[in-house]
Amino acid sequence: MSVLHNASIFDLTGKTALVTGSSQGIGLALAKGLAQHGAKVVLNGRNSEKLDAALTQLKEEKLLVEACSFDVTDAQSSASGVAQIETSVGPIDILINNAGMQFRTALEDFPIEKWEELFRTNVSSAFYVSRAVVRGMIERGQGKIINIASVQSELARPGIAPYTATKGAIRNLTKGMCTDWAKHGLQINSIAPGYFKTPLNAALVESAVFSDWLQKRTPAGRWGEVDELVGAAVFLSSVASSFINGQTLYVDGGITASL
């Protein structure tokens, strides 16, 4: 495979990307970043008001964006949503499985329904959407799938054991997808964010005690900004990463490197 050794290896012009859970936070930042590098991006989310607001915001910036609202935690809804996108927008070249949720409480008191909801949202959704998208990618002999993992793919904190389990599963699902699909010309990798200022982490960001702990615990000494994840996403979406497969890239200010 010939790879151009200049800035064009990061050019996504002509590519169509689907980013799940992209009406806010990390998903929205990644969608915007891919669009700024030339991709046509399809936003996805279950909250139609948030999705419409995100679509309007990016269209005002003259970016190539569409929106498709479907429930990624439901297999049939995911299949129908992907089919709709490929019919109305075009074949999906890049998929970012970003949809996710968090719920914090002591493990011995963790509600069963929340455990099941976490796994549907954080793990099953990545399988459902990837399964729907990958058939076309295999036929075309190329495609990029990026799963959003976490530093909790490696680490744990009190009160989030089920979330940690889901993100460990995402890391290994990425390896499994690579093992099955790399032979078809696909690259499947994951990005593992550290602690970023997002709506999901709002309560932690607002906690002076937690922020102080985090700044001392992280070698970079601060929270991450969501735009700092864009470079990794563009890299893994582009031809620049043509021989990178099954890997998890930690974008965490060094927190997983330091005790």
Side-chain angles (χ1 to χ4, degrees):
M1 182 177 187
S2 176
V3 178
L4 298 176
H5 295 284
N6 54 48
S8 65
I9 64 174
F10 301 106
D11 185 12
L12 302 178
T13 300
K15 301 295 184 181
T16 297
L18 167 62
V19 183
T20 69
S22 49
S23 60
Q24 63 180 7
I26 288 174
L28 180 57
L30 298 184
K32 179 178 177 179
L34 265 57
Q36 288 173 329
H37 282 77
K40 179 185 292 185
V41 179
V42 180
L43 305 178
N44 162 264
R46 287 184 289 183
N47 186 313
S48 59
E49 290 184 5
K50 287 184 178 179
L51 195 61
D52 288 344
L55 181 65
T56 298
Q57 175 189 330
L58 297 190
K59 279 187 174 293
E60 287 176 350
E61 297 183 35
K62 310 301 182 184
L63 298 173
L64 291 174
V65 288
E66 303 289 344
C68 185
S69 179
F70 62 89
D71 183 359
V72 296
T73 69
D74 179 82
Q76 184 55 55
S77 177
S78 296
S80 299
V82 167
Q84 179 184 336
I85 292 167
E86 297 214 317
T87 298
S88 61
V89 181
I92 296 170
D93 304 292
I94 302 160
L95 167 64
I96 299 184
N97 287 309
N98 170 74
M101 66 166 288
Q102 175 64 287
F103 185 83
R104 300 177 177 90
T105 195
L107 184 57
E108 65 272 19
D109 298 322
F110 209 92
I112 297 298
E113 64 273 15
K114 284 299 181 182
W115 167 277
E116 294 173 347
E117 185 182 5
L118 270 167
F119 271 86
R120 284 197 308 272
T121 306
N122 295 359
V123 183
S124 296
S125 66
F127 169 65
Y128 295 153
V129 182
S130 296
R131 185 176 182 272
V133 167
V134 79
R135 298 179 187 278
M137 289 181 172
I138 289 173
E139 289 179 4
R140 295 187 292 274
Q142 60 182 5
K144 302 277 191 174
I145 298 176
I146 302 170
N147 297 318
I148 301 302
S150 169
V151 291
Q152 266 76 49
S153 298
E154 284 286 335
L155 307 173
R157 291 191 65 255
I160 61 166
Y163 180 83
T164 299
T166 66
K167 290 305 182 177
I170 283 293
R171 182 185 177 195
N172 264 15
L173 180 60
T174 299
K175 294 180 179 181
M177 288 178 171
C178 164
T179 303
D180 274 33
W181 297 336
K183 63 188 177 186
H184 299 293
L186 280 60
Q187 289 84 51
I188 304 94
N189 295 287
S190 63
I191 296 172
Y195 284 89
F196 282 76
K197 293 180 180 178
T198 68
L200 197 67
N201 285 330
L204 299 181
V205 174
E206 293 168 4
S207 168
V209 172
F210 185 87
S211 288
D212 181 65
W213 170 85
L214 178 66
Q215 289 162 12
K216 291 176 180 176
R217 176 67 177 79
T218 305
R222 62 180 177 84
W223 285 87
E225 302 289 343
V226 290
D227 289 345
E228 292 178 294
L229 291 162
V230 170
V234 171
F235 169 59
L236 293 176
S237 297
S238 72
V239 70
S241 58
S242 59
F243 202 56
I244 298 175
N245 235 322
Q247 302 303 305
T248 297
L249 174 57
Y250 289 86
V251 185
D252 64 359
I255 196 169
T256 53
S258 174
L259 291 175

Coordinates of all heavy atoms in Angstrom, one line a residue, residues 10-44:
F10 N -3.3 12.9 6.2 CA -4.3 13.1 7.2 C -5.6 13.7 6.6 O -6.5 14.0 7.3 CB -3.8 14.1 8.2 CG -2.5 13.6 8.9 CD1 -1.3 14.1 8.7 CD2 -2.6 12.5 9.9 CE1 -0.1 13.6 9.3 CE2 -1.5 12.0 10.5 CZ -0.2 12.6 10.2
D11 N -5.6 13.8 5.2 CA -6.8 14.4 4.6 C -7.9 13.4 4.5 O -7.7 12.3 4.0 CB -6.4 14.9 3.2 CG -7.5 15.6 2.4 OD1 -8.5 16.0 3.1 OD2 -7.4 15.7 1.2
L12 N -9.1 13.8 4.9 CA -10.2 12.9 5.0 C -11.3 13.3 3.9 O -12.4 12.8 3.9 CB -10.9 12.9 6.3 CG -10.0 12.5 7.5 CD1 -10.7 12.6 8.8 CD2 -9.4 11.1 7.3
T13 N -10.9 14.1 3.0 CA -11.8 14.5 1.9 C -12.3 13.3 1.1 O -11.6 12.4 0.8 CB -11.1 15.5 0.9 OG1 -10.6 16.6 1.6 CG2 -12.0 15.9 -0.2
G14 N -13.7 13.3 0.9 CA -14.3 12.2 0.2 C -14.7 11.1 1.1 O -15.4 10.1 0.6
K15 N -14.4 11.1 2.4 CA -14.8 10.1 3.3 C -16.0 10.4 4.1 O -16.3 11.6 4.4 CB -13.6 9.8 4.3 CG -12.3 9.4 3.7 CD -12.4 8.1 3.0 CE -11.0 7.7 2.5 NZ -11.1 6.3 1.7
T16 N -16.8 9.4 4.4 CA -18.0 9.6 5.2 C -17.8 9.0 6.5 O -17.4 7.8 6.6 CB -19.3 9.0 4.5 OG1 -19.5 9.7 3.2 CG2 -20.5 9.2 5.4
A17 N -18.1 9.7 7.6 CA -17.9 9.2 8.9 C -19.2 9.3 9.7 O -19.9 10.2 9.6 CB -16.8 10.0 9.6
L18 N -19.4 8.2 10.5 CA -20.5 8.2 11.5 C -19.9 8.2 12.9 O -19.0 7.4 13.2 CB -21.3 6.9 11.3 CG -22.3 6.6 12.5 CD1 -23.4 7.7 12.6 CD2 -23.0 5.3 12.2
V19 N -20.3 9.2 13.7 CA -19.8 9.3 15.1 C -21.0 9.2 16.0 O -21.9 10.0 16.0 CB -19.1 10.7 15.3 CG1 -18.6 10.7 16.8 CG2 -18.0 10.9 14.3
T20 N -21.1 8.1 16.8 CA -22.2 7.9 17.7 C -22.1 8.7 18.9 O -21.0 9.1 19.3 CB -22.4 6.4 18.1 OG1 -21.3 6.0 18.9 CG2 -22.4 5.5 16.8
G21 N -23.2 9.1 19.5 CA -23.2 9.9 20.7 C -22.5 11.2 20.5 O -21.6 11.7 21.3
S22 N -22.8 11.9 19.4 CA -22.0 13.1 19.0 C -22.8 14.4 19.1 O -22.4 15.4 18.4 CB -21.5 12.9 17.6 OG -22.5 12.5 16.7
S23 N -23.8 14.4 20.0 CA -24.5 15.7 20.1 C -23.9 16.6 21.1 O -24.3 17.8 21.2 CB -26.0 15.4 20.5 OG -26.0 14.7 21.8
Q24 N -22.9 16.1 21.9 CA -22.2 16.9 22.8 C -20.8 16.3 23.2 O -20.5 15.2 22.8 CB -23.0 17.1 24.1 CG -23.3 15.8 24.8 CD -24.1 16.0 26.1 OE1 -24.6 17.1 26.4 NE2 -24.3 14.9 26.9
G25 N -20.1 17.0 24.0 CA -18.9 16.4 24.6 C -17.8 15.9 23.6 O -17.6 16.5 22.6
I26 N -17.2 14.8 24.0 CA -16.2 14.2 23.1 C -16.7 13.9 21.7 O -16.0 14.2 20.7 CB -15.6 12.9 23.8 CG1 -14.8 13.3 25.1 CG2 -14.7 12.1 22.9 CD1 -14.3 12.2 25.9
G27 N -17.8 13.3 21.6 CA -18.4 12.9 20.3 C -18.5 14.1 19.4 O -18.1 14.0 18.2
L28 N -19.0 15.2 19.9 CA -19.2 16.4 19.1 C -17.8 17.0 18.7 O -17.6 17.4 17.5 CB -20.0 17.5 19.9 CG -20.2 18.8 19.1 CD1 -20.9 18.6 17.8 CD2 -21.0 19.7 20.0
A29 N -16.8 17.0 19.6 CA -15.5 17.5 19.3 C -14.9 16.6 18.2 O -14.2 17.1 17.2 CB -14.6 17.5 20.5
L30 N -15.0 15.3 18.3 CA -14.4 14.4 17.2 C -15.1 14.6 15.9 O -14.5 14.6 14.8 CB -14.5 13.0 17.7 CG -13.8 12.6 19.0 CD1 -13.9 11.1 19.3 CD2 -12.3 13.0 18.9
A31 N -16.4 14.7 15.9 CA -17.2 14.9 14.7 C -16.7 16.2 14.0 O -16.5 16.3 12.8 CB -18.7 15.0 15.0
K32 N -16.6 17.3 14.8 CA -16.1 18.6 14.2 C -14.7 18.4 13.7 O -14.4 18.9 12.6 CB -16.2 19.6 15.3 CG -15.7 21.0 14.9 CD -15.8 22.0 16.0 CE -15.3 23.4 15.6 NZ -15.4 24.4 16.7
G33 N -13.9 17.7 14.4 CA -12.5 17.6 13.9 C -12.4 16.8 12.6 O -11.6 17.2 11.7
L34 N -13.1 15.8 12.5 CA -13.1 15.0 11.2 C -13.6 15.8 10.1 O -13.1 15.8 9.0 CB -13.9 13.7 11.4 CG -13.1 12.4 11.8 CD1 -12.4 12.6 13.1 CD2 -14.1 11.2 11.9
A35 N -14.7 16.6 10.4 CA -15.3 17.4 9.3 C -14.3 18.5 8.9 O -14.2 18.9 7.7 CB -16.6 18.1 9.8
Q36 N -13.5 19.1 9.9 CA -12.6 20.1 9.5 C -11.4 19.5 8.7 O -10.7 20.3 8.0 CB -12.0 20.7 10.8 CG -13.0 21.6 11.6 CD -12.5 22.1 12.9 OE1 -11.7 21.4 13.6 NE2 -12.9 23.3 13.3
H37 N -11.2 18.2 8.7 CA -10.2 17.6 7.9 C -10.8 17.0 6.6 O -10.1 16.2 5.9 CB -9.5 16.5 8.7 CG -8.4 17.1 9.6 ND1 -8.8 17.7 10.8 CD2 -7.1 17.2 9.5 CE1 -7.7 18.2 11.4 NE2 -6.6 17.9 10.7
G38 N -12.0 17.4 6.3 CA -12.6 17.1 5.0 C -13.6 16.1 4.9 O -14.3 15.9 3.9
A39 N -13.9 15.3 6.0 CA -14.9 14.3 6.0 C -16.3 14.8 6.0 O -16.6 15.9 6.5 CB -14.7 13.3 7.2
K40 N -17.2 14.1 5.4 CA -18.6 14.3 5.6 C -19.0 13.5 6.8 O -18.8 12.3 6.8 CB -19.5 13.9 4.4 CG -21.0 14.1 4.5 CD -21.7 13.6 3.4 CE -21.5 14.3 2.1 NZ -22.3 13.8 1.0
V41 N -19.6 14.2 7.8 CA -19.8 13.5 9.1 C -21.3 13.4 9.4 O -22.0 14.4 9.3 CB -19.1 14.3 10.3 CG1 -19.3 13.6 11.6 CG2 -17.6 14.3 10.0
V42 N -21.7 12.3 9.9 CA -23.1 12.0 10.3 C -23.1 12.0 11.8 O -22.4 11.2 12.4 CB -23.7 10.7 9.7 CG1 -25.1 10.5 10.2 CG2 -23.6 10.7 8.2
L43 N -23.8 13.0 12.4 CA -24.0 13.0 13.9 C -25.1 12.0 14.3 O -26.0 11.8 13.5 CB -24.4 14.4 14.3 CG -23.5 15.6 13.9 CD1 -24.1 16.9 14.4 CD2 -22.1 15.4 14.4
N44 N -24.9 11.5 15.5 CA -25.9 10.6 16.0 C -26.2 10.8 17.5 O -25.2 11.1 18.2 CB -25.5 9.1 15.8 CG -26.2 8.1 16.7 OD1 -25.7 7.8 17.7 ND2 -27.4 7.7 16.2

